[in-house]
Amino acid sequence: MSNVTTNTAEGKMVSSPNKQPLVSIQNLRVWFELRRFGFGHAGWVRAVDGVSFDLAAGEAIAVVGESGCGKSSLMKSILGLYKPTEGDIVFDGTRMSEYDRAKMRWYHSRVGYIQQDPYGALPPFMTVARILEEPLIVAGVKDKAERERRIFKAMEEVKLTPQEDFLSKFPHMLSGGQQQRVVIARAMIMEPKLIVADEPVSMLDASVRVEILKLLRSLQENHNLSVIYITHDLATVSYFSERIFVMYAGKLVEKAKVQQLLRNALHPYTHALLAATSDPDADNATRFRDVPPGEPPSLVKPPTGCRFHPRCPKAIAGLCEKEDPPDFEPEPGHLVACWLYKE
Ligand code: SF4
């Protein structure tokens, strides 16, 4: 077993071999200032704390972790909604830190966003036709026939057909699965290069979860899309992700190919997540039967050393609570931030 430590504070970068990155996340920190009324600065919420990875064109990755691990803040910074405190996001060779308003508008046309709650994501007073037309109008597609052509095409791709049956409907007239198909069609309508999908099936009935995951997979393959799939549920990642990044308390603690991680998970936190996982069509009660003991730590004052040490059954006394582990590489391309894998 050959262990490889990194010599950078932010950890070793993993990339897909032989592929140019579409997105490069470089030592990203997203911290929010806490201010107490009358007393000023009261600390920082370290939501994302030194995250680095590359995402190739046409590649799908999953970022997995419990609520409060920082994955939503990571996602929002990739969407350009949160400004990084430190580090940068490079998209198609351009640095987001250098974007002006016009460039940010261009970026938003290249990135599609699929929300967790389709009903909350769709304006209740707009018809499907209007919902899908709006991004095209905002992007300056002036020709009405061209807008209609793209709306019909997007609806066909998400299998909302015949289109005429749905165009004049309002969101409340659709099932949860149909609402999510509208959200996906809206994300696809500008023909993006990158899709950020935030728990896209967690609020759907078990019967439609797999259908939506398969739909996302086929869109990714047909359009050579890069996808960042944010989820708490390891059971769903193998449907269309090639690599998994496990996130805990603002950091990526394990990065591997999907089959590598499912066959040989290394980090004690990943073991706990896997033990809590069942089929994607199971209900939530069975999915969380064995969650890691204790609560995720405060991101205002995270534990010293390894942030998982207060919950870790394998913590090494005198080391884990003091020293933050770097990334080790016990097998090629499989990185884990845990002292158990030090040579
Ligand atoms: Fe557990 Fe120590 Fe590994 Fe952290 S570094 S996961 S506390 S064994």
Side-chain angles (χ1 to χ4, degrees), residues 65 83 208 262 329 333:
K83 196 167 182 233
V208 292
L262 296 180
E329 193 173 2

Side-chain angles (χ1 to χ4, degrees), residues 1-13 324-331 334-343:
M1 192 160 76
S2 70
N3 294 339
V4 177
T5 53
T6 62
N7 56 5
T8 62
E10 64 271 22
K12 189 177 175 74
M13 181 82 81
D324 191 10
D327 284 346
F328 300 97
E329 193 173 2
E331 59 178 332
H334 192 161
L335 302 173
V336 59
C338 172
W339 287 117
L340 293 174
Y341 302 94
K342 184 175 186 295
E343 209 165 36

Side-chain angles (χ1 to χ4, degrees), residues 76-152:
K76 286 181 179 163
S77 56
I78 293 169
L79 288 168
L81 304 175
Y82 290 164
K83 196 167 182 233
T85 312
E86 210 177 289
D88 212 341
I89 295 164
V90 181
F91 178 82
D92 219 1
T94 62
R95 293 191 163 275
M96 197 188 278
S97 58
E98 294 168 2
Y99 287 2
D100 58 15
R101 285 167 72 102
K103 189 74 177 175
M104 189 55 93
R105 267 202 304 279
W106 165 84
Y107 176 70
H108 284 145
S109 74
R110 306 286 69 213
V111 180
Y113 177 33
I114 299 171
Q115 293 91 332
Q116 178 177 19
D117 172 11
Y119 189 65
L122 297 172
F125 50 86
M126 285 165 77
T127 62
V128 170
R130 184 79 183 110
I131 289 167
L132 296 180
E133 189 178 30
E134 190 177 63
L136 297 167
I137 292 172
V138 170
V141 180
K142 292 201 166 52
D143 182 24
K144 190 162 174 51
E146 172 63 10
R147 294 201 298 268
E148 280 178 8
R149 186 191 71 74
R150 284 167 75 165
I151 290 168
F152 269 67

Side-chain angles (χ1 to χ4, degrees), residues 267-269 306-309 312-316 320 325 337-340:
H267 199 283
Y269 177 61
C306 170
R307 291 180 179 184
F308 190 56
H309 86 259
C312 182
K314 295 185 176 172
I316 304 163
C320 294
C338 172
W339 287 117
L340 293 174

